[in-house]
Amino acid sequence: MLQALGCIEINMSAHFCQGKLQIAFVFSVPGAIEAKNGMPVSGETGTNLNSALDILHRELTDTFSSTSRYDYRITNAYMYPIAKSLGHPDSEASDDMVLEPTNVERVVKDLAGCYTVVLCGNKAQLLAAKVTQQARKVICVPHIGNSGLNTSYRLPDEIAADTPGGRRAQRIEKWACEIICKLSSDDAA
């Protein structure tokens, strides 16, 4: 489906956004919010990604030239929405579903033309070897959903902000800094 955002039309579905930049973010699977809205990373994960893009844009303007998530290529390790609220027993695709050859082929096709790919979370990282190409940097980071941030970035009590929003902002900053560090090093994926 083509949807208008601002003055441009983009190819978008619950699991995919074409974007206009050659940087891609790969998440795990669309959930109920993405299915309802017909757009990837529609909920808190999307809000967190936009906050991280503010930091990435400020620190690496030439690489992250936009602060809007829908200017970037977005796809998922598995394309079909899965959520307990949609009647599924789990909220994630199985490893076998992600690594099924036609699914891998779809992800590789979704990433065509991207020179940097950020694999967000364990399910997306299952695809690291499959999406690595010459002249493409593949970076593995935790999922930027609240659960992924809370699990991956523990904050010492003495530096943690007093509010949940403040703690989330600190974790998002750590996530963005991890991307910046990995982009500047040779140890991506």
Side-chain angles (χ1 to χ4, degrees):
M1 161 181 10
L2 286 177
Q3 297 186 356
L5 278 178
C7 61
I8 62 167
E9 286 199 0
I10 54 177
N11 182 3
M12 188 165 339
S13 67
H15 85 277
F16 180 77
C17 173
Q18 178 70 34
K20 63 181 184 179
L21 300 172
Q22 295 177 317
I23 298 175
F25 292 92
V26 181
F27 294 93
S28 56
V29 63
I33 295 171
E34 289 78 12
K36 178 184 174 194
N37 294 338
M39 301 168 75
V41 293
S42 293
E44 289 181 350
T45 299
T47 301
N48 292 349
L49 180 58
N50 268 0
S51 295
L53 287 169
D54 287 341
I55 298 165
L56 293 167
H57 176 71
R58 183 181 67 236
E59 298 298 322
L60 295 174
T61 305
D62 290 342
T63 303
F64 294 94
S65 59
S66 175
T67 58
S68 173
R69 67 185 176 266
Y70 295 123
D71 285 341
Y72 297 87
R73 182 88 43 94
I74 298 173
T75 193
N76 281 272
Y78 189 71
M79 72 183 286
Y80 299 107
I82 297 176
K84 291 183 179 183
S85 65
L86 296 174
H88 298 101
D90 297 307
S91 59
E92 290 282 350
S94 69
D95 291 2
D96 289 340
M97 293 164 74
V98 171
L99 294 172
E100 195 276 323
T102 57
N103 186 66
V104 172
E105 184 178 308
R106 175 201 52 87
V107 173
V108 169
K109 183 179 174 186
D110 284 354
L111 298 176
C114 291
Y115 62 84
T116 300
V117 174
V118 182
L119 300 174
C120 304
N122 295 333
K123 294 299 178 179
Q125 291 169 24
L126 291 171
L127 298 164
K130 308 288 187 186
V131 301
T132 299
Q133 300 176 353
Q134 187 175 19
R136 174 185 282 170
K137 195 147 199 173
V138 177
I139 298 167
C140 294
V141 294
H143 197 284
I144 196 169
N146 290 337
S147 178
L149 290 173
N150 293 344
T151 302
S152 301
Y153 303 108
R154 301 275 182 211
L155 299 174
D157 290 338
E158 63 273 8
I159 67 161
D162 292 336
T163 66
R167 289 188 293 276
R168 183 185 312 176
Q170 288 179 324
R171 289 182 174 106
I172 290 169
E173 184 171 354
K174 288 179 174 285
W175 187 87
C177 288
E178 187 171 339
I179 290 175
I180 292 166
C181 289
K182 288 183 175 183
L183 274 174
S184 64
S185 71
D186 291 329
D187 64 321

Short mmCIF file of all heavy atoms in Angstrom, two decimals, residues 108-148:
data_model
loop_
_atom_site.label_atom_id
_atom_site.label_comp_id
_atom_site.label_asym_id
_atom_site.label_seq_id
_atom_site.Cartn_x
_atom_site.Cartn_y
_atom_site.Cartn_z
N VAL A 108 16.32 -10.26 2.39
CA VAL A 108 17.43 -9.85 1.53
C VAL A 108 16.92 -8.88 0.45
O VAL A 108 17.54 -7.84 0.18
CB VAL A 108 18.15 -11.07 0.92
CG1 VAL A 108 19.12 -10.66 -0.16
CG2 VAL A 108 18.86 -11.86 2.02
N LYS A 109 15.79 -9.21 -0.15
CA LYS A 109 15.19 -8.33 -1.17
C LYS A 109 14.79 -6.99 -0.56
O LYS A 109 15.00 -5.93 -1.16
CB LYS A 109 13.99 -9.02 -1.80
CG LYS A 109 13.34 -8.24 -2.90
CD LYS A 109 12.17 -9.01 -3.50
CE LYS A 109 11.45 -8.14 -4.50
NZ LYS A 109 10.23 -8.77 -4.99
N ASP A 110 14.19 -7.02 0.64
CA ASP A 110 13.79 -5.79 1.32
C ASP A 110 14.97 -4.86 1.56
O ASP A 110 14.81 -3.64 1.58
CB ASP A 110 13.13 -6.09 2.67
CG ASP A 110 11.71 -6.61 2.57
OD1 ASP A 110 11.14 -6.65 1.45
OD2 ASP A 110 11.16 -7.01 3.63
N LEU A 111 16.16 -5.42 1.75
CA LEU A 111 17.35 -4.63 2.10
C LEU A 111 18.18 -4.22 0.88
O LEU A 111 19.21 -3.55 1.04
CB LEU A 111 18.22 -5.41 3.08
CG LEU A 111 17.55 -5.73 4.41
CD1 LEU A 111 18.47 -6.59 5.28
CD2 LEU A 111 17.12 -4.47 5.15
N ALA A 112 17.75 -4.58 -0.30
CA ALA A 112 18.50 -4.24 -1.51
C ALA A 112 18.74 -2.73 -1.59
O ALA A 112 17.84 -1.93 -1.36
CB ALA A 112 17.74 -4.71 -2.75
N GLY A 113 19.97 -2.36 -1.86
CA GLY A 113 20.35 -0.96 -1.99
C GLY A 113 20.73 -0.27 -0.70
O GLY A 113 21.14 0.89 -0.73
N CYS A 114 20.63 -0.94 0.42
CA CYS A 114 21.00 -0.34 1.70
C CYS A 114 22.46 -0.62 2.01
O CYS A 114 22.91 -1.76 1.93
CB CYS A 114 20.11 -0.87 2.82
SG CYS A 114 18.41 -0.30 2.67
N TYR A 115 23.21 0.41 2.37
CA TYR A 115 24.63 0.23 2.68
C TYR A 115 24.90 0.05 4.16
O TYR A 115 25.97 -0.36 4.57
CB TYR A 115 25.46 1.39 2.11
CG TYR A 115 25.12 2.74 2.69
CD1 TYR A 115 25.69 3.16 3.90
CD2 TYR A 115 24.26 3.61 2.04
CE1 TYR A 115 25.39 4.40 4.43
CE2 TYR A 115 23.95 4.85 2.57
CZ TYR A 115 24.52 5.23 3.76
OH TYR A 115 24.22 6.46 4.29
N THR A 116 23.91 0.36 5.00
CA THR A 116 24.01 0.10 6.43
C THR A 116 22.71 -0.56 6.87
O THR A 116 21.63 -0.10 6.53
CB THR A 116 24.21 1.41 7.23
OG1 THR A 116 25.42 2.04 6.79
CG2 THR A 116 24.30 1.15 8.72
N VAL A 117 22.85 -1.65 7.63
CA VAL A 117 21.69 -2.38 8.14
C VAL A 117 21.87 -2.53 9.64
O VAL A 117 22.90 -3.04 10.10
CB VAL A 117 21.56 -3.76 7.48
CG1 VAL A 117 20.44 -4.57 8.12
CG2 VAL A 117 21.33 -3.61 5.97
N VAL A 118 20.87 -2.09 10.40
CA VAL A 118 20.88 -2.19 11.85
C VAL A 118 19.89 -3.28 12.23
O VAL A 118 18.68 -3.13 12.02
CB VAL A 118 20.52 -0.85 12.52
CG1 VAL A 118 20.58 -0.97 14.03
CG2 VAL A 118 21.44 0.27 12.02
N LEU A 119 20.41 -4.39 12.76
CA LEU A 119 19.59 -5.52 13.18
C LEU A 119 19.22 -5.31 14.65
O LEU A 119 20.08 -5.35 15.52
CB LEU A 119 20.34 -6.84 12.98
CG LEU A 119 20.75 -7.14 11.54
CD1 LEU A 119 21.62 -8.40 11.49
CD2 LEU A 119 19.54 -7.28 10.63
N CYS A 120 17.94 -5.10 14.91
CA CYS A 120 17.45 -4.73 16.23
C CYS A 120 16.81 -5.92 16.93
O CYS A 120 15.67 -6.29 16.61
CB CYS A 120 16.45 -3.60 16.11
SG CYS A 120 17.09 -2.14 15.24
N GLY A 121 17.53 -6.53 17.84
CA GLY A 121 17.00 -7.64 18.62
C GLY A 121 17.45 -9.00 18.14
O GLY A 121 18.01 -9.15 17.05
N ASN A 122 17.19 -10.01 18.97
CA ASN A 122 17.66 -11.37 18.71
C ASN A 122 17.10 -11.98 17.43
O ASN A 122 17.82 -12.67 16.71
CB ASN A 122 17.35 -12.27 19.90
CG ASN A 122 18.13 -11.85 21.13
OD1 ASN A 122 19.21 -11.28 21.04
ND2 ASN A 122 17.58 -12.13 22.30
N LYS A 123 15.82 -11.78 17.16
CA LYS A 123 15.22 -12.38 15.95
C LYS A 123 15.84 -11.78 14.70
O LYS A 123 16.19 -12.49 13.77
CB LYS A 123 13.70 -12.22 15.94
CG LYS A 123 13.01 -12.98 17.05
CD LYS A 123 13.25 -14.48 16.96
CE LYS A 123 12.58 -15.19 18.10
NZ LYS A 123 12.73 -16.63 18.08
N ALA A 124 15.99 -10.48 14.66
CA ALA A 124 16.62 -9.84 13.50
C ALA A 124 18.07 -10.29 13.35
O ALA A 124 18.55 -10.51 12.23
CB ALA A 124 16.54 -8.33 13.64
N GLN A 125 18.75 -10.49 14.47
CA GLN A 125 20.16 -10.86 14.43
C GLN A 125 20.38 -12.29 13.93
O GLN A 125 21.48 -12.63 13.51
CB GLN A 125 20.80 -10.63 15.79
CG GLN A 125 20.89 -9.14 16.10
CD GLN A 125 21.26 -8.83 17.52
OE1 GLN A 125 21.86 -9.63 18.22
NE2 GLN A 125 20.89 -7.63 17.97
N LEU A 126 19.33 -13.10 13.93
CA LEU A 126 19.45 -14.43 13.31
C LEU A 126 19.81 -14.31 11.84
O LEU A 126 20.38 -15.24 11.25
CB LEU A 126 18.12 -15.19 13.42
CG LEU A 126 17.68 -15.64 14.80
CD1 LEU A 126 16.25 -16.16 14.76
CD2 LEU A 126 18.63 -16.72 15.33
N LEU A 127 19.52 -13.18 11.23
CA LEU A 127 19.74 -12.97 9.79
C LEU A 127 21.09 -12.34 9.46
O LEU A 127 21.37 -12.08 8.29
CB LEU A 127 18.61 -12.09 9.24
CG LEU A 127 17.21 -12.68 9.36
CD1 LEU A 127 16.16 -11.61 9.15
CD2 LEU A 127 17.04 -13.83 8.38
N ALA A 128 21.91 -12.09 10.46
CA ALA A 128 23.17 -11.35 10.24
C ALA A 128 24.01 -11.94 9.11
O ALA A 128 24.43 -11.22 8.20
CB ALA A 128 23.97 -11.26 11.53
N ALA A 129 24.26 -13.22 9.15
CA ALA A 129 25.10 -13.84 8.11
C ALA A 129 24.42 -13.80 6.75
O ALA A 129 25.10 -13.72 5.72
CB ALA A 129 25.43 -15.28 8.49
N LYS A 130 23.11 -13.81 6.73
CA LYS A 130 22.36 -13.85 5.46
C LYS A 130 22.32 -12.48 4.77
O LYS A 130 22.17 -12.41 3.56
CB LYS A 130 20.92 -14.33 5.70
CG LYS A 130 20.81 -15.62 6.46
CD LYS A 130 21.23 -16.79 5.63
CE LYS A 130 20.94 -18.09 6.40
NZ LYS A 130 21.43 -19.25 5.73
N VAL A 131 22.39 -11.40 5.54
CA VAL A 131 22.26 -10.07 4.95
C VAL A 131 23.60 -9.34 4.80
O VAL A 131 23.64 -8.24 4.25
CB VAL A 131 21.26 -9.18 5.74
CG1 VAL A 131 19.90 -9.84 5.78
CG2 VAL A 131 21.77 -8.86 7.13
N THR A 132 24.67 -9.94 5.28
CA THR A 132 25.99 -9.32 5.16
C THR A 132 26.47 -9.43 3.72
O THR A 132 26.42 -10.49 3.11
CB THR A 132 26.99 -10.00 6.12
OG1 THR A 132 26.51 -9.83 7.45
CG2 THR A 132 28.37 -9.40 5.99
N GLN A 133 26.89 -8.30 3.17
CA GLN A 133 27.41 -8.22 1.81
C GLN A 133 28.64 -7.32 1.81
O GLN A 133 28.81 -6.50 2.70
CB GLN A 133 26.39 -7.61 0.86
CG GLN A 133 25.10 -8.35 0.74
CD GLN A 133 24.11 -7.59 -0.15
OE1 GLN A 133 24.35 -6.46 -0.57
NE2 GLN A 133 22.99 -8.22 -0.43
N GLN A 134 29.43 -7.46 0.76
CA GLN A 134 30.58 -6.57 0.61
C GLN A 134 30.07 -5.13 0.49
O GLN A 134 29.05 -4.88 -0.15
CB GLN A 134 31.37 -6.95 -0.64
CG GLN A 134 32.66 -6.21 -0.77
CD GLN A 134 33.48 -6.71 -1.94
OE1 GLN A 134 32.97 -7.34 -2.84
NE2 GLN A 134 34.76 -6.39 -1.93
N ALA A 135 30.72 -4.22 1.12
CA ALA A 135 30.40 -2.79 1.12
C ALA A 135 29.12 -2.47 1.90
O ALA A 135 28.59 -1.39 1.79
CB ALA A 135 30.30 -2.24 -0.30
N ARG A 136 28.62 -3.42 2.69
CA ARG A 136 27.46 -3.15 3.56
C ARG A 136 27.91 -3.37 4.99
O ARG A 136 28.50 -4.38 5.32
CB ARG A 136 26.30 -4.09 3.24
CG ARG A 136 25.14 -3.93 4.24
CD ARG A 136 24.05 -4.93 4.01
NE ARG A 136 23.23 -4.53 2.88
CZ ARG A 136 22.31 -5.32 2.32
NH1 ARG A 136 22.14 -6.55 2.77
NH2 ARG A 136 21.59 -4.89 1.32
N LYS A 137 27.61 -2.42 5.83
CA LYS A 137 27.90 -2.55 7.25
C LYS A 137 26.65 -3.07 7.93
O LYS A 137 25.57 -2.51 7.77
CB LYS A 137 28.32 -1.21 7.83
CG LYS A 137 28.97 -1.32 9.17
CD LYS A 137 30.03 -0.27 9.35
CE LYS A 137 30.95 -0.70 10.47
NZ LYS A 137 32.08 0.15 10.63
N VAL A 138 26.79 -4.16 8.68
CA VAL A 138 25.69 -4.74 9.43
C VAL A 138 26.01 -4.59 10.92
O VAL A 138 27.07 -5.02 11.36
CB VAL A 138 25.48 -6.23 9.05
CG1 VAL A 138 24.38 -6.84 9.90
CG2 VAL A 138 25.15 -6.36 7.57
N ILE A 139 25.08 -3.98 11.63
CA ILE A 139 25.27 -3.69 13.05
C ILE A 139 24.19 -4.41 13.84
O ILE A 139 23.01 -4.33 13.50
CB ILE A 139 25.16 -2.17 13.29
CG1 ILE A 139 26.27 -1.45 12.52
CG2 ILE A 139 25.22 -1.83 14.77
CD1 ILE A 139 26.08 0.03 12.44
N CYS A 140 24.59 -5.06 14.90
CA CYS A 140 23.65 -5.76 15.79
C CYS A 140 23.52 -4.99 17.10
O CYS A 140 24.53 -4.70 17.75
CB CYS A 140 24.14 -7.18 16.08
SG CYS A 140 24.15 -8.25 14.63
N VAL A 141 22.28 -4.64 17.43
CA VAL A 141 21.99 -3.96 18.69
C VAL A 141 20.74 -4.59 19.30
O VAL A 141 20.00 -5.29 18.61
CB VAL A 141 21.76 -2.43 18.48
CG1 VAL A 141 23.05 -1.75 18.03
CG2 VAL A 141 20.64 -2.16 17.49
N PRO A 142 20.49 -4.32 20.57
CA PRO A 142 19.25 -4.82 21.18
C PRO A 142 18.02 -4.21 20.51
O PRO A 142 18.12 -3.17 19.84
CB PRO A 142 19.35 -4.35 22.64
CG PRO A 142 20.80 -4.10 22.87
CD PRO A 142 21.35 -3.64 21.55
N HIS A 143 16.89 -4.82 20.72
CA HIS A 143 15.63 -4.25 20.24
C HIS A 143 15.39 -2.95 21.00
O HIS A 143 15.73 -2.84 22.18
CB HIS A 143 14.49 -5.24 20.51
CG HIS A 143 13.27 -4.95 19.71
ND1 HIS A 143 12.41 -3.92 20.03
CD2 HIS A 143 12.75 -5.54 18.60
CE1 HIS A 143 11.42 -3.90 19.17
NE2 HIS A 143 11.61 -4.87 18.28
N ILE A 144 14.83 -1.96 20.32
CA ILE A 144 14.62 -0.66 20.96
C ILE A 144 13.24 -0.52 21.59
O ILE A 144 12.86 0.54 22.07
CB ILE A 144 14.93 0.50 19.99
CG1 ILE A 144 15.10 1.81 20.76
CG2 ILE A 144 13.85 0.58 18.90
CD1 ILE A 144 15.64 2.95 19.97
N GLY A 145 12.49 -1.60 21.65
CA GLY A 145 11.25 -1.60 22.43
C GLY A 145 11.60 -1.46 23.90
O GLY A 145 12.73 -1.71 24.33
N ASN A 146 10.64 -1.06 24.70
CA ASN A 146 10.91 -0.82 26.12
C ASN A 146 11.49 -2.04 26.82
O ASN A 146 12.41 -1.93 27.62
CB ASN A 146 9.65 -0.33 26.83
CG ASN A 146 9.27 1.06 26.40
OD1 ASN A 146 10.11 1.83 25.94
ND2 ASN A 146 8.00 1.40 26.53
N SER A 147 10.97 -3.22 26.52
CA SER A 147 11.49 -4.44 27.15
C SER A 147 12.95 -4.67 26.78
O SER A 147 13.78 -4.98 27.64
CB SER A 147 10.63 -5.64 26.73
OG SER A 147 11.14 -6.82 27.28
N GLY A 148 13.29 -4.51 25.50
CA GLY A 148 14.67 -4.67 25.06
C GLY A 148 15.60 -3.66 25.69
O GLY A 148 16.72 -3.99 26.10
#
